[in-house]
Amino acid sequence: MITFTNKDDNKQFISINTDENANIDIIIQEIRKQYPSLKQLHIVFDEAEILIPLETGFPYGFSLNELREYIKPIAAATISHFAVDMDTPTQRYY
């Protein structure tokens, strides 16, 4: 699980959770190919999760539902949105 620091408090992210057998590199390549705007963002990941930062006014070019549909044939994944809350044990507020 990715952990955050105080500088991340109140920042928002899209989370793509996969099982540990999924190839995270391929998923990132595919979503950057489909959504070129993501090439400009610093996407954070570990062996089972990809985090896409949500920046105010940034032209993403897709909705959360569209991203869910696009990921379905690539990998089994749960896609959600959360904000960082350093006062919460999981550091995440859904």
Side-chain angles (χ1 to χ4, degrees):
M1 176 181 241
I2 297 169
T3 57
F4 302 95
T5 63
N6 285 331
K7 70 177 181 60
D8 298 315
D9 199 30
N10 294 320
K11 289 188 178 179
Q12 297 182 36
F13 294 88
I14 294 172
S15 170
I16 303 171
N17 275 298
T18 67
D19 65 32
E20 292 193 20
N21 295 324
N23 188 325
I24 296 293
D25 292 328
I26 289 175
I27 297 169
I28 292 171
Q29 285 177 347
E30 291 299 318
I31 61 175
R32 282 189 166 153
K33 188 185 324 176
Q34 178 70 15
Y35 307 109
S37 62
L38 296 182
K39 292 177 184 176
Q40 300 173 39
L41 296 175
H42 178 69
I43 295 176
V44 180
F45 60 93
D46 64 10
E47 61 277 348
E49 183 178 31
I50 301 166
L51 295 181
I52 301 170
L54 292 175
E55 304 285 341
T56 303
F58 187 82
Y60 288 88
F62 60 90
S63 68
L64 198 55
N65 285 335
E66 182 180 332
L67 181 63
R68 285 182 180 116
E69 291 301 314
Y70 181 73
I71 294 289
K72 269 185 191 179
I74 299 170
T78 303
I79 301 172
S80 60
H81 163 265
F82 70 91
V84 175
D85 183 352
M86 296 305 290
D87 295 328
T88 304
T90 64
Q91 300 182 326
R92 297 167 187 233
Y93 178 74
Y94 292 91

